[in-house]
mmCIF file of all heavy atoms in Angstrom:
data_model
loop_
_atom_site.group_PDB
_atom_site.id
_atom_site.type_symbol
_atom_site.label_atom_id
_atom_site.label_comp_id
_atom_site.label_asym_id
_atom_site.label_seq_id
_atom_site.Cartn_x
_atom_site.Cartn_y
_atom_site.Cartn_z
ATOM 1 N N PHE B 535 78.090 -40.909 -13.974
ATOM 2 C CA PHE B 535 77.471 -40.629 -12.672
ATOM 3 C C PHE B 535 78.188 -41.419 -11.571
ATOM 4 O O PHE B 535 78.413 -40.912 -10.478
ATOM 5 C CB PHE B 535 75.981 -40.975 -12.693
ATOM 6 C CG PHE B 535 75.144 -39.863 -13.268
ATOM 7 C CD1 PHE B 535 74.568 -39.958 -14.523
ATOM 8 C CD2 PHE B 535 74.937 -38.688 -12.542
ATOM 9 C CE1 PHE B 535 73.816 -38.933 -15.051
ATOM 10 C CE2 PHE B 535 74.172 -37.652 -13.070
ATOM 11 C CZ PHE B 535 73.608 -37.770 -14.330
ATOM 12 N N ALA B 536 78.545 -42.677 -11.901
ATOM 13 C CA ALA B 536 79.238 -43.508 -10.905
ATOM 14 C C ALA B 536 80.583 -42.875 -10.530
ATOM 15 O O ALA B 536 80.941 -42.811 -9.354
ATOM 16 C CB ALA B 536 79.444 -44.913 -11.460
ATOM 17 N N ALA B 537 81.297 -42.377 -11.554
ATOM 18 C CA ALA B 537 82.590 -41.736 -11.285
ATOM 19 C C ALA B 537 82.394 -40.465 -10.465
ATOM 20 O O ALA B 537 83.190 -40.137 -9.582
ATOM 21 C CB ALA B 537 83.287 -41.411 -12.600
ATOM 22 N N LEU B 538 81.321 -39.766 -10.770
ATOM 23 C CA LEU B 538 81.051 -38.493 -10.082
ATOM 24 C C LEU B 538 80.764 -38.710 -8.603
ATOM 25 O O LEU B 538 81.098 -37.873 -7.766
ATOM 26 C CB LEU B 538 79.855 -37.821 -10.759
ATOM 27 C CG LEU B 538 79.597 -36.369 -10.403
ATOM 28 C CD1 LEU B 538 80.758 -35.518 -10.842
ATOM 29 C CD2 LEU B 538 78.336 -35.895 -11.084
ATOM 30 N N PHE B 539 80.131 -39.859 -8.298
ATOM 31 C CA PHE B 539 79.772 -40.109 -6.906
ATOM 32 C C PHE B 539 80.898 -40.758 -6.099
ATOM 33 O O PHE B 539 80.688 -41.147 -4.959
ATOM 34 C CB PHE B 539 78.475 -40.918 -6.823
ATOM 35 C CG PHE B 539 77.272 -40.061 -7.089
ATOM 36 C CD1 PHE B 539 76.574 -40.137 -8.283
ATOM 37 C CD2 PHE B 539 76.870 -39.106 -6.153
ATOM 38 C CE1 PHE B 539 75.486 -39.316 -8.533
ATOM 39 C CE2 PHE B 539 75.787 -38.279 -6.395
ATOM 40 C CZ PHE B 539 75.094 -38.384 -7.595
ATOM 41 N N GLN B 540 82.089 -40.856 -6.701
ATOM 42 C CA GLN B 540 83.255 -41.236 -5.889
ATOM 43 C C GLN B 540 83.538 -40.070 -4.953
ATOM 44 O O GLN B 540 83.409 -38.902 -5.375
ATOM 45 C CB GLN B 540 84.471 -41.483 -6.778
ATOM 46 C CG GLN B 540 84.396 -42.804 -7.486
ATOM 47 C CD GLN B 540 85.540 -42.993 -8.463
ATOM 48 O OE1 GLN B 540 86.429 -42.163 -8.565
ATOM 49 N NE2 GLN B 540 85.493 -44.094 -9.189
ATOM 50 N N TRP B 541 83.936 -40.355 -3.730
ATOM 51 C CA TRP B 541 83.986 -39.293 -2.724
ATOM 52 C C TRP B 541 84.883 -38.114 -3.115
ATOM 53 O O TRP B 541 84.540 -36.964 -2.859
ATOM 54 C CB TRP B 541 84.335 -39.856 -1.343
ATOM 55 C CG TRP B 541 85.747 -40.395 -1.217
ATOM 56 C CD1 TRP B 541 86.143 -41.668 -1.451
ATOM 57 C CD2 TRP B 541 86.907 -39.662 -0.839
ATOM 58 N NE1 TRP B 541 87.489 -41.784 -1.260
ATOM 59 C CE2 TRP B 541 87.987 -40.573 -0.868
ATOM 60 C CE3 TRP B 541 87.151 -38.343 -0.469
ATOM 61 C CZ2 TRP B 541 89.283 -40.196 -0.555
ATOM 62 C CZ3 TRP B 541 88.444 -37.957 -0.157
ATOM 63 C CH2 TRP B 541 89.498 -38.877 -0.198
ATOM 64 N N GLN B 542 86.018 -38.424 -3.824
ATOM 65 C CA GLN B 542 86.921 -37.307 -4.170
ATOM 66 C C GLN B 542 86.215 -36.328 -5.113
ATOM 67 O O GLN B 542 86.269 -35.117 -4.922
ATOM 68 C CB GLN B 542 88.194 -37.799 -4.874
ATOM 69 C CG GLN B 542 89.031 -38.783 -4.099
ATOM 70 C CD GLN B 542 88.710 -40.213 -4.496
ATOM 71 O OE1 GLN B 542 87.566 -40.550 -4.783
ATOM 72 N NE2 GLN B 542 89.726 -41.066 -4.480
ATOM 73 N N ASN B 543 85.552 -36.882 -6.133
ATOM 74 C CA ASN B 543 84.881 -36.016 -7.110
ATOM 75 C C ASN B 543 83.690 -35.299 -6.496
ATOM 76 O O ASN B 543 83.427 -34.134 -6.819
ATOM 77 C CB ASN B 543 84.433 -36.834 -8.324
ATOM 78 C CG ASN B 543 85.622 -37.339 -9.113
ATOM 79 O OD1 ASN B 543 86.712 -36.769 -9.038
ATOM 80 N ND2 ASN B 543 85.435 -38.415 -9.853
ATOM 81 N N LEU B 544 82.996 -36.002 -5.614
ATOM 82 C CA LEU B 544 81.830 -35.381 -4.980
ATOM 83 C C LEU B 544 82.259 -34.211 -4.094
ATOM 84 O O LEU B 544 81.614 -33.151 -4.087
ATOM 85 C CB LEU B 544 81.081 -36.438 -4.151
ATOM 86 C CG LEU B 544 79.598 -36.192 -3.959
ATOM 87 C CD1 LEU B 544 78.879 -36.042 -5.285
ATOM 88 C CD2 LEU B 544 78.971 -37.323 -3.160
ATOM 89 N N ILE B 545 83.376 -34.405 -3.386
ATOM 90 C CA ILE B 545 83.882 -33.309 -2.540
ATOM 91 C C ILE B 545 84.246 -32.113 -3.413
ATOM 92 O O ILE B 545 83.938 -30.955 -3.099
ATOM 93 C CB ILE B 545 85.107 -33.782 -1.707
ATOM 94 C CG1 ILE B 545 84.634 -34.695 -0.583
ATOM 95 C CG2 ILE B 545 85.887 -32.596 -1.137
ATOM 96 C CD1 ILE B 545 85.743 -35.294 0.242
ATOM 97 N N LEU B 546 84.900 -32.408 -4.560
ATOM 98 C CA LEU B 546 85.286 -31.313 -5.463
ATOM 99 C C LEU B 546 84.050 -30.591 -5.994
ATOM 100 O O LEU B 546 84.027 -29.358 -6.092
ATOM 101 C CB LEU B 546 86.119 -31.860 -6.629
ATOM 102 C CG LEU B 546 87.541 -32.270 -6.289
ATOM 103 C CD1 LEU B 546 88.185 -32.999 -7.461
ATOM 104 C CD2 LEU B 546 88.383 -31.050 -5.910
#
Side-chain angles (χ1 to χ4, degrees):
Chain B
F535 277 107
L538 193 63
F539 283 106
Q540 284 175 4
W541 68 269
Q542 301 96 324
N543 292 337
L544 207 56
I545 286 176
L546 287 171

